Amino acid sequence: MNKTEDILRHLKDVEREHDVKVLLAVESGSRAWGFESADSDWDVRCIYVHKPQCYYSVGRQRDVVEYMYEDDVDLVGWELRKTLTLLRQSNPSLYEWLHSPIVYRADTGFMHRIREVESACFNPVRLMYHYNHIYLKHDVRYIRREKCKMKVFFYYLRGILGCKWIDTYNTLPPVPFRELVAGTVDEARLRDKIDALIRIKQSGEECDIHTVDAELFDYANRWAEHYNHRADTFRPEPDTAPSAELDAILYDMATSSIRQDDLPTQWNWHSNSQ
């Protein structure tokens, strides 16, 4: 059984145990970014919906599921109402889930509805602060304390280039790291150095013995300093999140039909899942 089959089996177990339907399941983290190591976990993230009557209960339903399986699958799921609330708030992690290049399951109707509203929910200021925080966190914890090790540098650089992408294009940075680099690093020489580091990390070599090239490190530091100031002045006008449309998605996903054999429940629903 390959890893995808393992993950699909885990998703069915989640549906059975919690009596829910998984609307989307993707890979997150280093494997989605494209700079995983040979021993990286599988960070599976999913969005699920309860059966309709759960949304008419005065009791509050659990809105997160979390599992760490023995086969190195780290699975986290968010309930649909929580998901849509976070979409309205332009949650950066959710946006990355929605644009992961590795998709295990996706309900086509759900994804069509999300694509219709996500750009109106996108808040570039919030995303700029998110990526700014990513590289500042790694700077304070690691970069200033020691020579910059390759493993840490990827997270540091990803935050910096995320800021640069948003500042340049006013859109969500691409999840695959090589696409992010291609759209933000102008110098071919530096792109080649970054690509060489990615190949080392993916090869399974011990990352902690590799330090980052001084020119590449200086490049990252210069842009980090730039966005330390720029983040406080970056103020494009965001769209107004469409609350009515998000409410409609919640209602329709909770009340739409799926096939009886798609779930271990007795819901009389019809599925458009793929």
Side-chain angles (χ1 to χ4, degrees):
M1 183 177 293
N2 63 35
K3 186 54 65 176
T4 297
E5 291 173 339
D6 289 338
I7 290 168
L8 292 174
R9 176 169 50 82
H10 293 321
L11 292 170
K12 286 186 177 294
D13 288 342
V14 168
E15 289 183 322
R16 184 179 301 106
E17 180 176 347
H18 296 278
D19 203 11
V20 299
K21 177 190 176 184
V22 171
L23 298 172
L24 178 68
V26 302
E27 188 68 30
S28 179
S30 62
R31 291 184 182 276
W33 302 331
F35 56 74
E36 73 280 3
S37 301
D39 59 350
S40 293
D41 290 342
W42 279 262
D43 296 316
V44 179
R45 302 294 180 259
C46 69
I47 298 166
Y48 63 88
V49 61
H50 285 290
K51 55 188 177 181
Q53 53 264 45
C54 291
Y55 295 99
Y56 296 93
S57 170
V58 295
R60 186 168 181 83
Q61 301 291 328
R62 177 172 169 80
D63 59 9
V64 176
V65 296
E66 298 173 297
Y67 293 91
M68 186 67 214
Y69 296 100
E70 292 183 355
D71 57 0
D72 296 325
V73 173
D74 176 7
L75 189 153
V76 175
W78 288 347
E79 180 270 328
L80 181 59
R81 176 183 281 140
K82 175 185 181 72
T83 298
L84 295 175
T85 298
L86 292 174
L87 180 62
R88 184 174 59 187
Q89 297 168 354
S90 199
N91 180 273
S93 296
L94 175 59
Y95 269 96
E96 291 194 8
W97 296 9
L98 295 174
H99 290 271
S100 172
I102 304 174
V103 179
Y104 298 112
R105 281 178 55 179
D107 182 287
T108 54
F110 171 68
M111 291 308 300
H112 176 72
R113 299 287 293 276
I114 290 296
R115 296 293 182 236
E116 289 181 330
V117 300
E118 65 174 337
S119 61
C121 295
F122 180 74
N123 185 326
V125 176
R126 183 177 177 87
L127 271 289
M128 173 70 81
Y129 275 117
H130 168 73
Y131 289 103
N132 174 247
H133 176 72
I134 286 177
Y135 76 73
L136 283 177
K137 176 178 66 177
H138 285 86
D139 188 6
V140 171
R141 291 183 181 179
Y142 306 108
I143 304 297
R144 298 182 191 178
R145 298 182 180 180
E146 57 187 37
K147 290 184 178 179
C148 185
K149 300 296 174 57
M150 187 180 71
K151 187 173 183 178
V152 173
F153 182 74
F154 280 116
Y155 296 94
Y156 180 65
L157 183 61
R158 180 173 172 270
I160 295 164
L161 298 185
C163 289
K164 195 174 182 185
W165 181 283
I166 295 167
D167 196 19
T168 304
Y169 304 105
N170 204 37
T171 61
L172 178 74
V175 175
F177 188 61
R178 281 189 168 99
E179 292 181 22
L180 178 61
V181 171
T184 53
V185 179
D186 297 328
E187 300 87 340
R189 181 181 67 261
L190 295 178
R191 293 198 301 269
D192 289 342
K193 290 183 176 184
I194 294 170
D195 194 63
L197 289 179
I198 294 174
R199 291 197 301 272
I200 291 172
K201 191 170 187 299
Q202 291 179 323
S203 71
E205 293 185 38
E206 179 54 55
C207 296
D208 286 343
I209 67 174
H210 293 277
T211 57
V212 176
D213 175 88
E215 182 185 21
L216 194 55
F217 189 45
D218 289 344
Y219 169 86
N221 284 340
R222 288 197 308 272
W223 281 106
E225 184 63 26
H226 172 80
Y227 283 109
N228 286 343
H229 299 287
R230 175 62 173 149
D232 290 331
T233 61
F234 179 73
R235 291 294 182 274
E237 187 67 29
D239 292 329
T240 301
S243 295
E245 287 87 341
L246 296 174
D247 290 344
I249 293 173
L250 176 61
Y251 179 84
D252 291 343
M253 290 301 105
T255 58
S256 65
S257 326
I258 59 173
R259 293 187 302 269
Q260 286 283 345
D261 58 1
D262 279 339
L263 279 176
T265 64
Q266 298 303 311
W267 309 353
N268 185 23
W269 291 5
H270 171 70
S271 177
N272 59 355
S273 296
Q274 64 179 20

